[in-house]
Amino acid sequence: EVMNESCGRVVFLLGAGRSGTTLLYKLLALHKDVAYFSNYQNRYPNWSYLAYLQYILNQFPEYKRRSWFKEHGNAYFNERRRWLQSIVPTPSEAESVYASCGIPLTPTDDYHLQSQVAKCLQNRFERIRRMSHGQVLLTKRTANNRRVSILKKVFPDARYIHLIRDGRAVAYSLLRVAWWNDHVSYWTGKTPREMIAKGSNPLELAAKNWVEEMKVLEQGITQIQSDQLLEVRYEELLCNPFEQLRRILDFMGVSAQKDTEFWDIIESLHLTPKKEKWMHKWTESELNMVLDLQDSTLRHWGFETGMYR
C-alpha cells in the first residue's frame, strides 16, 4: 500500500506533439533526483525493480548525454538507435505502464475510475520512483493531455508542466517525423495516410492537429489549481535554458544546486533558438492555409499572427 503523500512526488509534462516535450523530458531526467519512465518500463511495465537501472545510470551522467542526445542538443531520434545505445535506460512515454493498470488511451465522457485502477497506478509510480532513488517521478505522455481529469483523481497533489510551442512550427515539424503518417489521431480515428488517400491536404491535417490538441489541453488545464501548474514556452526554454530549467526544477521541488554535473551537461548541449523553417519554406498560400486554421488559437496562446499575413 502506497501512502498518499507519494502523490505529491509526481510531475506530469503536458504538451501537444512536437512541442519540444521529448527535449524537456530528457533535459529534466538528466538530473539525478528526477526519476522517469524508461524504455524498460515501457517493455516490462510490471517489473518496477528495473527502474534501479536509472540509479546505476546516474553514476555515469556523461553516458546519459551521449545516449539520449544527438548534436546541438537534439533529443529526437527519427531512426533506430544503435543497439548499444538502445540498452541504456532512456526516458520513454511508456503507455504500457498506464495500460497495464487499465487506464484508457482516450477516456469516454462517462468513464468511471475504479479504485483498484487508481491504486495500481499509484503503487507503480511510487515503486519506480523509489527504485530510481528519485525525489520526484516525471512522466511525459501525449495521451495524458486528454486524461487530466483521471490523473487528478489518482494523484490529487501532482504537479503539471505545460510546454507550449508556436502551432506553425509544430505543423511544420509533424510532417517531418517518421511516426506521423501512420499515427491514429484521436480526433479523427484515422491515420494521416488514410485521410490523405481520401484527398486531405497533409499540411492542413498537421495544422488542425495542433488546434485540436490545444483545445483538449485547455479543457484539462482549467481543472488544475494554479499552484500545481507551470506554463513553459518552448521558445523561451531555448533562449534561456539555465533560467528556465532552474524555474522548472524549483516548481518540481528539486534542488537545482544539488547536481553540478547536471548543469555541466546542459551547457555541453549548446541549446540555442532555432530559425523557424516554416517562415521561409512555406509559400504564401501554405501560410494562409495554416493561419486560417490556427489564427484564433495562436492568438489565444499569445503568438503574433498579423505580421505574417
Side-chain angles (χ1 to χ4, degrees):
E1 191 70 23
V2 168
M3 292 183 296
N4 270 348
E5 72 238 26
S6 66
C7 296
R9 293 175 176 161
V10 173
V11 182
F12 293 101
L13 174 51
L14 307 174
R18 304 308 296 151
S19 291
T21 50
T22 298
L23 172 65
L24 183 54
Y25 189 25
K26 285 185 176 179
L27 290 175
L28 293 169
L30 285 168
H31 197 292
K32 63 177 186 230
D33 286 335
V34 177
Y36 51 90
F37 289 153
S38 81
N39 42 336
Y40 284 91
Q41 276 76 57
N42 192 42
R43 189 169 288 190
Y44 308 107
N46 302 318
W47 298 2
S48 304
Y49 59 82
L50 286 172
Y52 188 70
L53 293 169
Q54 295 177 31
Y55 175 66
I56 296 169
L57 185 61
N58 279 340
Q59 318 313 309
F60 309 97
E62 179 56 28
Y63 206 71
K64 272 185 181 180
R65 188 187 72 80
R66 291 213 309 273
S67 304
W68 294 0
F69 297 91
K70 296 195 286 189
E71 68 284 351
H72 310 302
N74 187 351
Y76 182 72
F77 286 77
N78 215 4
E79 69 285 327
R80 286 181 73 84
R81 295 183 305 150
R82 293 198 301 276
W83 77 268
L84 199 59
Q85 287 179 319
S86 65
I87 62 170
V88 174
T90 300
S92 164
E93 295 210 353
E95 175 60 29
S96 53
V97 172
Y98 298 90
S100 67
C101 286
I103 299 284
L105 193 60
T106 302
T108 53
D109 290 340
D110 60 353
Y111 175 78
H112 176 67
L113 178 71
Q114 304 285 331
S115 62
Q116 68 268 25
V117 170
K119 278 201 178 75
C120 171
L121 209 60
Q122 286 170 355
N123 286 329
R124 197 144 290 174
F125 273 49
E126 181 61 0
R127 277 198 216 103
I128 288 167
R129 184 191 69 78
R130 285 182 184 168
M131 289 306 298
S132 316
H133 292 229
Q135 276 184 11
V136 298
L137 176 71
L138 173 70
T139 168
K140 169 251 173 178
R141 175 73 186 113
T142 316
N144 283 343
N145 298 342
R146 320 188 275 278
R147 300 194 287 213
V148 173
S149 57
I150 297 175
L151 301 175
K152 265 182 59 57
K153 287 181 186 137
V154 182
F155 303 102
D157 300 321
R159 291 167 199 184
Y160 298 80
I161 299 162
H162 179 206
L163 186 61
I164 302 167
R165 186 183 185 188
D166 189 312
R168 292 159 291 195
V170 170
Y172 184 88
S173 176
L174 269 177
L175 295 177
R176 279 148 190 86
V177 291
W179 55 264
W180 168 246
N181 270 337
D182 298 302
H183 160 81
V184 178
S185 80
Y186 72 92
W187 54 278
T188 63
K190 299 185 181 76
T191 67
R193 194 183 298 282
E194 290 168 330
M195 294 165 75
I196 290 161
K198 290 187 175 162
S200 290
N201 179 298
L203 181 56
E204 207 169 311
L205 286 176
K208 181 95 163 75
N209 189 74
W210 179 77
V211 173
E212 294 296 329
E213 287 217 61
M214 294 309 282
K215 204 184 290 178
V216 155
L217 274 160
E218 189 165 21
Q219 287 165 7
I221 279 162
T222 54
Q223 302 173 55
I224 303 168
Q225 284 177 232
S226 58
D227 63 338
Q228 288 175 251
L229 176 68
L230 182 72
E231 188 180 284
V232 179
R233 299 275 163 161
Y234 174 75
E235 296 80 9
E236 288 172 17
L237 176 66
L238 291 186
C239 279
N240 301 300
F242 287 87
E243 181 190 313
Q244 291 297 317
L245 289 169
R246 271 195 198 92
R247 175 176 161 247
I248 296 164
L249 289 169
D250 186 50
F251 169 76
M252 290 168 68
V254 171
S255 166
Q257 271 68 48
K258 200 171 157 191
D259 190 347
T260 52
E261 288 169 318
F262 169 79
W263 296 110
D264 292 341
I265 293 176
I266 298 299
E267 192 164 7
S268 76
L269 291 172
H270 303 297
L271 297 169
T272 49
K274 295 171 176 63
K275 280 198 175 122
E276 291 296 3
K277 291 180 180 172
W278 62 266
M279 289 185 183
H280 54 89
K281 293 270 189 181
W282 284 347
T283 63
E284 196 175 345
S285 64
E286 285 175 325
L287 181 59
N288 284 332
M289 180 206 293
V290 173
L291 281 175
D292 283 343
L293 288 162
Q294 291 190 347
D295 188 77
S296 62
T297 311
L298 284 164
R299 282 189 286 113
H300 174 77
W301 291 100
F303 293 102
E304 289 279 338
T305 63
M307 60 194 280
Y308 298 107
R309 278 286 189 190

